[in-house]
Amino acid sequence: MKKLFALLFSLFCMLSQGQMLQKDVTVRKVLKLMGTRFEITVVAPNEEIGYINIDLAVSEIERIEKIISSWDENSETSLINKNAGIKPVKVCPELFGLIERSMKISEITDGAFDITYASMDNIWKFDGSMTTLPTKEEIQKSIAKIGYQKIVLDAEKETVFLPEPGMRIAFGAIGKGYAADRAKELLVSKDVKGGIINASGDLTTWGTKATGEKWLVGIANPLSKDKVFSWLPIIESSVATSGNYEKFVTLNGKKYSHIIDPRTGYPTTGISSVSIFAKQAELCDALATAVFIMGRDVGLHMINQIDGVEAVVIDSDNKIHKTTGIMFEVNP
C-alpha cells in the first residue's frame, strides 16, 4: 500500500512539475482581409487555442468589412453612396459612430483627412502611364464633390445623407485601423494574454510576447525597407505608417506621392513616411494620412497638441523629425 501511495505521489509531482513547466507559445497567421495583408499574432497556451483565437479575430474583421466596404455592393456604406443626392440612409450604430469620429478628425486636421475623398475623379495615375500633369481645371473639377462638411448626420434617426449626386465616402484611411482595434478588443475580452493585429502596417498590440518581452516596432528607412532606423517598444498601444515607397509618379523631376490632398487635388510632396503612435489604431491610421498631407512642420505641430499621440516623420531628404515625446537613437 505504501509503495502504491509513493508511486501515485511521485506521478502527481511529475504531472504538477510538467504543468508548471508548460510555457505559452506565439501563434501567427498571415492572410488577406479587406483587400490587404493582415498578420495576426497571439500568445496562447498551445497552438490549437492560438489558431482558434486567430479565427475569432478574422471573423470580426470580416464582419466589419461587410459594413464599411465601399466595394461590397450590399454594405451599408455602398447604400449611402448609391443614395447620394436622393435620400438619407439608416445605418447601424457602429457605422454611424465611425462616420461621426471621422468627421471630428477632419475638423482637427482642417480637412486633410476626409472620408469624402472617394468623390474624387481619378485623374492621377501611379501605374507608370502618366506623362504630364493634369490641368488646373481638371484638378478643380476632380475635387468638386469632396467636403466632409457636406455630410448630413441625424443622430436621432441614425441616418447618413450625402446631399450631392456623385458624392461618395470610403474608409481607406481609417478602416484597417478600426478593424484592428475591434479584433483586439474581442481577443482581450476572451482573455488572450497578448498579441499583435497588423493590418498592412497599421498595428495594435496588447500584453507582451510569450517570453515576457515587449513588442517592438521598427521605423523603416524609406530608401531601403530592409533597413531600420530604430526599434521602439510599444506597450498596450498602436502605430500606423503611411509611406510613398512604392506608389508615386515623377514628373518634371518632381516626385508626387499617391496620397492626394482632398482639399487641393494635388499629391503630397516633401515627406517619405509618417508613423503615428497612439492608444487606438483607428486614430493612428487617420492621423498618419493627415500628417502626410499637412506636411512636416504643420503636421508635427498638430500632433504635439494632442495628448497621448506621437509621430515620427521622415522627409524627402531622408531626415528624421519627431514629436517631443519620442525618444530614440537613430541607427547608422
Side-chain angles (χ1 to χ4, degrees), residues 200-203 217-219 239-243 245 273-276 284-285 288:
S200 190
D202 301 339
L203 61 88
V217 61
I219 303 299
V239 60
T241 299
S242 286
Y245 319 124
S273 79
V274 175
S275 295
I276 300 290
C284 291
D285 197 359

Side-chain angles (χ1 to χ4, degrees), residues 170-183:
F171 299 97
I174 195 171
K176 296 194 306 295
Y178 174 65
D181 282 335
R182 292 306 302 263

Side-chain angles (χ1 to χ4, degrees), residues 107-322:
E107 291 177 15
I108 293 170
T109 61
D110 193 29
F113 170 84
D114 192 332
I115 58 173
T116 67
Y117 79 92
S119 309
M120 186 185 300
D121 296 332
N122 296 319
I123 59 173
W124 293 90
K125 307 294 181 185
F126 299 94
D127 57 3
S129 63
M130 195 170 186
T131 57
T132 58
L133 288 169
T135 65
K136 289 182 179 180
E137 292 74 18
E138 288 174 329
I139 290 172
Q140 285 302 311
K141 184 181 176 182
S142 76
I143 62 172
K145 292 182 174 65
I146 293 177
Y148 71 92
Q149 307 95 326
K150 299 176 183 179
I151 301 174
V152 180
L153 298 181
D154 187 323
E156 187 176 334
K157 296 179 180 178
E158 287 188 329
T159 59
V160 182
F161 181 48
L162 304 180
E164 297 181 17
M167 276 191 74
R168 291 173 54 84
I169 59 171
F171 299 97
I174 195 171
K176 296 194 306 295
Y178 174 65
D181 282 335
R182 292 306 302 263
K184 168 185 170 179
E185 288 171 16
L186 177 62
L187 293 184
V188 169
S189 75
K190 300 296 183 182
D191 296 323
V192 177
K193 290 183 180 179
I196 297 181
I197 311 292
N198 185 346
S200 190
D202 301 339
L203 61 88
T204 188
T205 72
W206 72 101
T208 61
K209 298 179 183 179
T211 59
E213 297 173 288
K214 298 172 184 176
W215 301 108
L216 295 174
V217 61
I219 303 299
N221 183 333
L223 298 181
S224 176
K225 291 191 293 182
D226 297 330
K227 293 183 179 179
V228 172
F229 276 128
S230 185
W231 290 95
L232 296 176
I234 47 175
I235 307 166
E236 306 292 333
S237 188
S238 304
V239 60
T241 299
S242 286
N244 65 353
Y245 319 124
E246 296 170 354
K247 294 177 71 175
F248 60 88
V249 62
T250 302
L251 297 170
N252 302 326
K254 192 173 184 180
K255 184 177 179 180
Y256 294 90
S257 163
H258 73 286
I259 300 175
I260 297 174
D261 188 336
R263 302 166 299 183
T264 66
Y266 284 92
T268 57
T269 59
I271 290 180
S272 291
S273 79
V274 175
S275 295
I276 300 290
F277 299 81
K279 189 75 174 176
Q280 293 180 314
E282 173 189 312
L283 184 61
C284 291
D285 197 359
L287 290 180
T289 301
V291 170
F292 211 109
I293 289 168
M294 297 170 82
R296 183 193 69 197
D297 295 338
V298 175
L300 288 176
H301 177 74
M302 177 194 69
I303 297 298
N304 272 323
Q305 311 308 309
I306 305 175
D307 290 338
V309 181
E310 302 294 343
V312 175
V313 174
I314 301 177
D315 65 23
S316 54
D317 295 322
N318 220 31
K319 293 180 180 177
I320 294 182
H321 310 267
K322 48 190 172 43

